[in-house]
């Protein structure tokens, strides 16, 4: 496939068809300094773990068809891309688009999706070698649209891309969509008490009470990463994950083999928080570590204890971010309950292309109205946040 300007586009049926060095030179060029990736979710090791574990492919609804752009035989850009037969595991929902199009006699699935599967974390999707950003992005998008047209697919969706990619894509003629999540921002806090000092008195006292009750569950909480992670920890977390997955999605997205692979290749990218009571693991929260962000991903438990969910997923995540000098915590999709705990609404972005011109016009109108509603919602929710707003002096609490 010709991408123009002597750039050739190829389609990969899996990450096994390209070396980790070639892929990661585009996906995580910042690691050349020896540090961690900006986020791990488009690295060769993460996407390969999904494929090797059969979390994607097969009957999952996610069929890999990654794009690679080469110039003079050298890889200059890559794009994690999947042919989707459903809209599961995406977190920027288009079920209503699919219903409307199919009700009008169209065929919405399969579609193309550029994303980190099952991972609502913002990150680059148009992965380019430094110095090839403009040509690489243009070649990837052109290649993806050609692939969709050639296979008579309804659409292309680039979800949880960066704001900078969204601006570029909008200027390039793609439709832009704004959604929102709740993120915690580190304002240079030295410890958790310094964060609490930024909150209103009422919210500060409420969080302290929640933490006290959570930590009174009768056990201990441990934080594990790198070589401290052992197979027994994944055995425990798999039980938690299965329970949560069955209740939220009907069946878990990730296979047990993914966690075995994570033990082998992703240990340094992971912070696992586990709660143990009477010698038994009873709850856990899985986080991934980026260069400046902690990403909260999954939670589960086999015993219910008041506020333990908030302690593991939100407060311990803040503790870890402060201790590691990270700039923020992304706590995953949805959840207005995060607002009272210091996680403020933040815009997230996606790009879309739809083959049918009439349907594309209808979606564009919808997106324009939705963006205005999201902007207003973010403004209102931020105003209800827990941070101080010129409150009167108070006694020490």
């Amino acid at each position: 496939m010709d991408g123009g300007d002597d750039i050739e586009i190829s389609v990969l049926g899996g990450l096994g068809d390209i070396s980790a060095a070639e892929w990661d030179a585009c996906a995580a060029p910042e690691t050349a300094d020896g540090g961690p990736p900006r986020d791990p979710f488009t690295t060769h090791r993460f996407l390969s773990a999904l494929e090797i574990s059969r979390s994607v492919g097969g009957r999952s609804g996610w069929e890999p068809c990654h794009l690679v752009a080469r110039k003079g035989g050298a890889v200059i850009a890559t794009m994690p891309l999947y042919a989707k037969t459903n809209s599961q595991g995406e977190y920027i929902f288009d079920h209503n688009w699919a219903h409307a199009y199919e009700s009008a006699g169209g065929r919405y699935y399969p579609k193309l999706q550029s994303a980190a599967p099952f991972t609502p974390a913002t990150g680059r999707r148009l992965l380019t070698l430094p110095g090839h950003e403009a040509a690489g992005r243009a070649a990837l998008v052109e290649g993806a649209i050609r692939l969709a047209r050639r296979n008579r697919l309804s659409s292309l969706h680039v979800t949880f891309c960066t704001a900078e990619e969204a601006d570029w894509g909008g200027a390039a003629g793609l439709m832009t969509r704004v959604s929102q999540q709740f993120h915690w921002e580190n304002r240079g806090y030295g410890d958790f008490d310094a964060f609490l000092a930024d909150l209103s008195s009422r919210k500060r006292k409420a969080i302290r009470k929640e933490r006290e009750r959570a930590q009174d569950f009768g056990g201990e909480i441990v934080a594990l990463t790198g070589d401290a992670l052992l197979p027994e920890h994944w055995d425990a977390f798999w039980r938690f994950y299965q329970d949560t997955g069955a209740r939220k999605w009907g069946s878990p997205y990730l296979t047990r083999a993914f966690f075995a692979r994570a033990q082998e290749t992703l240990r340094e990218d992971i912070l696992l928080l586990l709660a143990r009571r009477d010698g038994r693991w009873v709850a856990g929260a899985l986080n991934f570590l980026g260069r400046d962000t902690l990403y909260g991903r999954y939670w589960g438990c086999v015993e219910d204890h008041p506020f333990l969910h908030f302690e593991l997923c939100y407060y311990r995540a803040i503790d870890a971010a402060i201790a590691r000098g990270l700039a923020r915590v992304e706590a995953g999709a949805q959840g207005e309950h995060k607002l009272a705990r210091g996680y403020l609404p933040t815009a997230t972005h996606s790009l879309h292309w739809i083959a049918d011109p009439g349907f594309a016009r209808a979606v564009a109108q919808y997106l324009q109205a939705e963006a205005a509603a999201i902007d207003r919602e973010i403004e209102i929710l931020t105003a209800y946040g827990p941070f101080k707003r010129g409150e009167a002096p108070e006694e020490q609490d």
Side-chain angles (χ1 to χ4, degrees):
M1 189 185 296
D2 183 3
D5 296 325
D6 299 322
I7 296 175
E8 294 185 352
I9 302 291
S10 56
V11 181
L12 306 184
L15 268 291
D17 295 336
I18 186 172
S19 71
E22 287 180 307
W23 182 274
D24 287 343
C26 299
E30 64 277 5
T31 60
D33 67 5
R38 205 171 274 120
D39 73 82
F41 303 119
T42 56
T43 61
H44 193 278
R45 60 183 176 270
F46 181 84
L47 296 175
S48 292
L50 293 174
E51 293 177 10
I52 291 169
S53 68
R54 304 299 290 169
S55 298
V56 299
R59 298 181 179 179
S60 67
W62 294 77
E63 190 61 36
C65 51
H66 311 302
L67 297 190
V68 175
R70 289 181 171 88
K71 187 171 185 178
V75 174
I76 65 163
T78 63
M79 184 183 198
L81 189 64
Y82 301 85
K84 289 296 306 296
T85 56
N86 57 45
S87 292
Q88 302 303 313
E90 295 172 12
Y91 299 96
I92 292 181
F93 299 115
D94 62 352
H95 298 94
N96 55 341
W97 300 3
H99 178 73
Y101 194 52
E102 292 181 354
S103 294
R107 181 168 168 261
Y108 194 72
Y109 303 107
K111 61 177 183 174
L112 287 181
Q113 188 90 18
S114 180
F118 323 121
T119 307
T122 292
R124 293 189 310 129
R125 300 293 178 255
L126 307 175
L127 313 175
T128 58
L129 199 66
H132 296 272
E133 290 82 2
R137 285 176 176 176
L140 291 171
V141 170
E142 180 184 346
I145 291 175
R146 285 189 181 187
L147 182 63
R149 288 193 186 279
R150 190 176 65 197
N151 291 278
R152 298 185 177 181
L153 306 183
S154 70
S155 50
L156 165 69
H157 309 268
V158 182
T159 46
F160 292 103
C161 62
T162 65
E164 197 266 336
E165 285 177 324
D167 289 342
W168 176 89
L174 300 176
M175 292 183 287
T176 60
R177 188 178 191 184
V178 178
S179 305
Q180 65 113 342
Q181 293 181 339
F182 294 88
H183 298 172
W184 178 85
E185 297 290 334
N186 188 349
R187 303 177 180 180
Y189 301 122
D191 54 26
F192 196 89
D193 282 339
F195 157 61
L196 288 182
D198 257 1
L199 307 186
S200 69
S201 175
R202 184 169 60 86
K203 295 297 185 182
R204 184 164 60 243
K205 291 175 180 176
I207 288 174
R208 283 178 173 158
K209 288 179 180 178
E210 283 188 358
R211 296 204 76 177
E212 287 173 5
R213 290 201 61 191
Q215 293 169 20
D216 195 34
F217 77 103
E220 62 172 339
I221 297 170
V222 297
L224 305 163
T225 191
D227 290 340
L229 284 165
L230 300 173
E232 69 174 84
H233 302 133
W234 295 116
D235 289 338
F237 189 76
W238 173 245
R239 293 194 296 273
F240 309 149
Y241 176 70
Q242 277 187 301
D243 176 71
T244 299
R247 285 186 286 105
K248 292 181 69 173
W249 314 304
S251 61
Y253 290 139
L254 301 174
T255 65
R256 177 63 180 87
F258 173 83
F259 297 104
R261 184 70 181 177
Q263 172 67 17
E264 295 176 16
T265 63
L266 298 172
R267 293 197 305 274
E268 299 300 326
D269 298 321
I270 286 171
L271 174 66
L272 184 62
L273 299 167
L274 292 177
R276 178 167 49 198
R277 181 173 176 270
D278 296 331
R280 174 179 181 242
W281 300 113
V282 298
L286 175 62
N287 304 274
F288 280 81
L289 299 166
R291 179 163 288 225
D292 63 1
T293 304
L294 186 148
Y295 300 91
R297 291 304 304 115
Y298 300 108
W299 144 269
C301 64
V302 292
E303 291 183 4
D304 289 323
H305 295 280
F307 303 111
L308 190 57
H309 171 229
F310 297 150
E311 176 67 18
L312 286 177
C313 293
Y314 307 138
Y315 302 140
R316 293 290 170 130
I318 291 173
D319 281 336
I322 292 173
R324 292 171 175 269
L326 302 179
R328 68 190 56 82
V329 178
E330 290 192 21
Q334 303 172 321
E336 291 186 5
H337 58 278
K338 298 168 186 171
L339 182 66
R341 292 158 184 91
Y343 291 73
L344 294 181
T346 304
T348 58
H349 304 274
S350 58
L351 294 165
H352 307 269
W353 171 88
I354 291 174
D356 184 300
F359 186 48
R361 285 193 295 273
V363 169
Q365 291 174 355
Y366 169 84
L367 291 179
Q368 187 175 14
E370 183 188 50
I374 292 290
D375 287 347
R376 180 61 179 153
E377 182 178 9
I378 289 175
E379 181 182 355
I380 292 171
L381 288 173
T382 300
Y384 280 98
F387 291 88
K388 292 177 180 175
R389 291 185 296 276
E391 62 183 19
E394 57 184 320
E395 294 183 4
Q396 201 92 17
D397 59 5

